[in-house]
Amino acid sequence: MNAEEVLAMNGSDRARDGANGSPEQTITSQVIARVRNIDHRRDDVVTSALHCILDTLGVAIGGVHEPVTRHVRGEALDEGGAPRATLWGTGERVSRPQAALVNGTAAHALDFDDVSALMEGHPSAPLLPALLAVADGAGTSGEELIAAFVAGFETEAMVGRLMSPSHYARGFHATATVGTFGAAAAGAHVLGLDQRAWAHAFGIAGSRAAGLKSMFGTMSKPLQVGMAAENGLRAATLAARGVTAHPDVLGTAQGFRDTQSDAGGTAPAWDWTGLAITDVLFKYHAACYLTHSAIEGGLSMRDAGVTPERIESVEVLVPAGHLRVCDIAEPSTPLEGKFSLRFTTAMALVTGDLSEQAFTPASLADPRVVALRDRVRVSARTDSDSRSSIVRVTCTDGTERVAEVDVNRPTPASQLDRRWEALVAKFHSLVDPVMSADAADRIVSEVAGLATAESVEPLLRALAVNAEDVPGR
């Protein structure tokens, strides 16, 4: 389906039924009206979108060789289908839903992707794969892509805020559940759906959204993010074809909010006037973001000259919710290591290296790291409103060092250029081994010029390489 076909469908008569009433004055319609009319041309908004896009492409291409990505890609290739969208980092062509699934899984396979506090998850991993799959071959411009990306990102923030905090606390994986709505919104934006069709797309997305925190530390965590991308894409394209759903999935009784959170009443649960995308957070350590404050605390100790031989014990105090996410005491796989406050804090103090290449079976078994990991005690902070983590090191001579760090502060405008430089460096560290430095440079250049690009096709071509060059095929 191309953009012209979708616009023709939007202009045609659709079947009407009891669930197809006016979407005006509902929680869902308020979300849709807001995200459809965002000023996506603001410099800070464009800059943040480009940063998110580059980072997501980098972590996805870096995750091409992860076992879960290879398994999902192999499944898609065995299934076959109309070759309409690109698998990043391999150049293989599959169907649009398959591309969203595979690229979405890859984008979260390393758990190295961006973060939104309002969403309580990783916004771009389910969003960008669905968006680029819809845009592939549709004549989408760079500006249109950015507009759709921002709409999807803000949808995730608003729906996430609507469900917070009980949705995540209950055990739902917001990146997968809320992310489905973001993927649907981005697709709906590119396809030019009217407000009624948007509401149906959201209804379809809500009926398909799923994801559990009990999957953390397993292959199913990134898989359910890939499924969110696929489900969001299908929600948009099915709504474009005329499939209907309840027009207020977010606010109705037995709808998404009513069944998957404790939020009561009918009033929207958002109260900010800015845009969430300008507050996006990026990972510079290849582990769960909830470990990052403690990691930074450990790194500061190491930089100050505290060596592992001098450490008697380590106490890490974190917000209570962290213990339900990243408190694997003795990780047995590198993936589990990314969800272990004890292991990552020990790594920070012993080696100072928490890059993707550092999470290996060898590092899990490193006697120095294991010995210190076993001397790390993790517990919850008693002041429930604090977001920071405290690392308290007791040395063998009886002295004590304390560091308190909060990595949840957005990047100020004056530092955005420096952030781009850091993200480009991160991108090359992940993409060069997969596609070569020259190929990585081309992608960086295409992303940097998206705001004025007449088409996203050059970017899509830059994301493709000869599949025979990919190890493990």
Side-chain angles (χ1 to χ4, degrees), residues 100-377:
L101 172 64
V102 177
N103 292 334
T105 300
H108 200 57
L110 301 181
D111 219 292
F112 210 178
D113 40 326
D114 59 19
V115 174
S116 168
L118 285 170
M119 177 196 183
E120 292 191 295
H122 304 267
S124 298
L127 164 57
L128 186 64
L131 172 55
L132 283 179
V134 174
D136 202 328
T140 306
S141 70
E143 181 181 343
E144 290 168 340
L145 187 84
I146 291 170
F149 184 87
V150 174
F153 196 108
E154 297 305 313
T155 293
E156 291 170 320
M158 295 184 75
V159 175
R161 184 71 178 88
L162 191 70
M163 305 293 288
S164 179
S166 56
H167 181 69
Y168 193 77
R170 280 189 185 188
F172 289 105
H173 182 199
T175 305
T177 56
V178 176
T180 306
F181 287 91
H189 204 290
V190 165
L191 295 173
L193 304 191
D194 61 25
Q195 174 130 347
R196 182 183 296 276
W198 270 70
H200 294 316
F202 273 35
I204 298 168
S207 71
R208 297 172 68 92
L212 300 172
K213 284 162 61 180
S214 58
M215 299 299 113
F216 286 13
T218 75
M219 291 185 192
S220 285
K221 184 176 190 276
L223 173 61
Q224 60 196 17
V225 176
M227 295 174 72
E230 178 188 12
N231 287 334
L233 180 149
R234 287 192 180 276
T237 57
L238 288 172
R241 291 185 180 275
V243 176
T244 63
H246 195 290
D248 188 23
V249 66
L250 296 175
T252 191
Q254 300 187 71
F256 188 70
R257 185 190 193 198
D258 187 44
T259 59
Q260 298 191 32
S261 78
D262 298 334
T266 59
W270 53 84
D271 54 6
W272 80 98
T273 58
L275 293 178
I277 195 167
T278 59
D279 290 342
V280 65
L281 304 168
F282 293 97
K283 288 185 175 185
Y284 300 102
H285 309 300
C288 173
Y289 198 73
L290 299 186
T291 67
H292 281 214
S293 291
I295 288 171
E296 289 294 333
L299 290 174
S300 71
M301 300 281 190
R302 190 172 189 276
D303 291 344
V306 177
T307 62
E309 296 75 21
R310 294 178 55 199
I311 297 174
E312 179 70 30
S313 63
V314 182
E315 181 181 23
V316 179
L317 299 172
V318 297
H322 290 24
L323 301 182
R324 296 169 62 90
V325 178
C326 49
D327 192 30
I328 297 176
E330 297 181 4
S332 59
T333 67
L335 188 55
E336 287 186 353
K338 296 183 177 189
F339 290 87
S340 172
L341 279 160
R342 290 169 175 82
F343 177 71
T344 52
T345 302
M347 286 272 283
L349 287 162
V350 174
T351 70
D353 181 7
L354 290 108
S355 65
E356 178 56 35
Q357 293 74 22
F359 286 86
T360 64
S363 66
L364 285 174
D366 185 328
R368 297 180 306 153
V369 176
V370 171
L372 185 56
R373 182 203 70 192
D374 291 343
R375 298 200 298 276
V376 176
R377 181 166 59 90

